[in-house]
Amino acid sequence: MNLILLGAPGAGKGTQAELLVDALGIPSISTGNMLREAMANGTEIGKQAKHYMDNGLLVPDEVILGIVAERVAQPDCANGFILDGVPRTLAQAEALEAKGIRIDHVVSIEIDDSVIEGRMTGRRVCSKCGASYHIVANPTKVEGICDACGAEVMIRKDDTPETVQKRLKVYHEETEVLKDFYAKRGNLRMVDGDQPIKQITAEILEKIGAKV
């Protein structure tokens, strides 16, 4: 089963992707995490991405799609995958189709901007493995330490209030149109993102018809 998770920054895509990995037994492909790893390692793609991400702007399509195409071709994606953070534009969605990448379900996590802005100040991400947490909704077992790998968790630069507002504006202008794109293809599933994490997961699994 090949899935796309859509939703504004802070809607909970990363958290749901991690839970769906466990429920469905397929890998999550987060372009954000892959780009942040590239930046931390000082790779050429990382340097290209740093300016855009630090300013809440979209990373160019050729960088994103190159990473995605390589990733979905790997053996662990043979039974399916979850795309988190891509496509972000209509051009990217069309390019995925052109590359023959099949998408079974597109899950849009719906939540008001005001709720998202309140959430972002509490969001934390692992500095090493990229795991997502929230100090209220999904805290680490030990404060400031990743449950998965034991590294330090941190506030991302793109979670500052000014950058969050800019990212939301970009989302509404560039990414929200994808709901219409996939609705016309009959594979869009709308999910209420303003409810407890486990209930969101259950609603997603129900709407994609997953047997777990």
Side-chain angles (χ1 to χ4, degrees):
M1 183 182 292
N2 300 341
L3 306 178
I4 289 174
L5 292 184
L6 286 182
K13 298 186 299 297
T15 297
Q16 291 303 320
E18 290 173 16
L19 294 171
L20 291 170
V21 165
D22 292 336
L24 300 173
I26 56 178
S28 170
I29 301 172
S30 168
T31 52
N33 285 346
M34 284 191 284
L35 287 168
R36 278 187 286 276
E37 182 177 334
M39 287 194 296
N41 293 335
T43 67
E44 191 58 39
I45 287 181
K47 291 174 183 175
Q48 292 174 23
K50 181 172 175 56
H51 168 75
Y52 295 96
M53 293 185 69
D54 282 352
N55 289 282
L57 302 173
L58 294 176
V59 177
D61 287 355
E62 59 268 20
V63 177
I64 296 292
L65 295 175
I67 289 175
V68 173
E70 289 179 0
R71 184 67 185 85
V72 300
Q74 293 181 19
D76 64 335
C77 292
N79 294 322
F81 53 80
I82 302 162
L83 289 182
D84 167 19
V86 66
R88 282 185 173 175
T89 65
L90 191 57
Q92 287 182 2
E94 291 170 344
L96 286 178
E97 280 196 350
K99 288 178 180 291
I101 298 175
R102 188 191 84 252
I103 300 299
D104 299 303
H105 301 284
V106 179
V107 176
S108 179
I109 302 174
E110 300 290 306
I111 190 162
D112 289 339
D113 285 3
S114 59
V115 176
I116 285 174
E117 290 178 23
R119 277 184 180 182
M120 298 294 249
T121 56
R123 192 160 75 163
R124 301 291 183 271
V125 65
C126 178
S127 57
K128 184 177 181 182
C129 74
S132 300
Y133 300 96
H134 190 280
I135 58 174
V136 176
N138 184 33
T140 55
K141 293 174 182 176
V142 178
E143 186 176 352
I145 301 298
C146 177
D147 295 349
C149 72
E152 183 182 1
V153 297
M154 62 182 186
I155 301 173
R156 291 180 356 203
K157 288 182 180 179
D158 52 354
D159 282 344
T160 62
E162 298 80 10
T163 306
V164 167
Q165 291 172 10
K166 188 182 294 186
R167 293 172 70 205
L168 286 170
K169 183 175 184 289
V170 170
Y171 169 77
H172 291 304
E173 291 176 352
E174 300 283 349
T175 307
E176 207 160 24
V177 295
L178 294 181
K179 290 193 286 186
D180 288 338
F181 178 83
Y182 287 113
K184 289 175 182 175
R185 283 151 178 76
N187 56 4
L188 180 69
R189 316 286 178 246
M190 309 278 272
V191 172
D192 177 11
D194 194 10
Q195 56 181 329
I197 290 172
K198 290 183 179 179
Q199 287 180 224
I200 298 172
T201 308
E203 186 177 341
I204 291 173
L205 293 171
E206 178 185 357
K207 290 196 172 179
I208 66 176
K211 296 178 180 179
V212 295

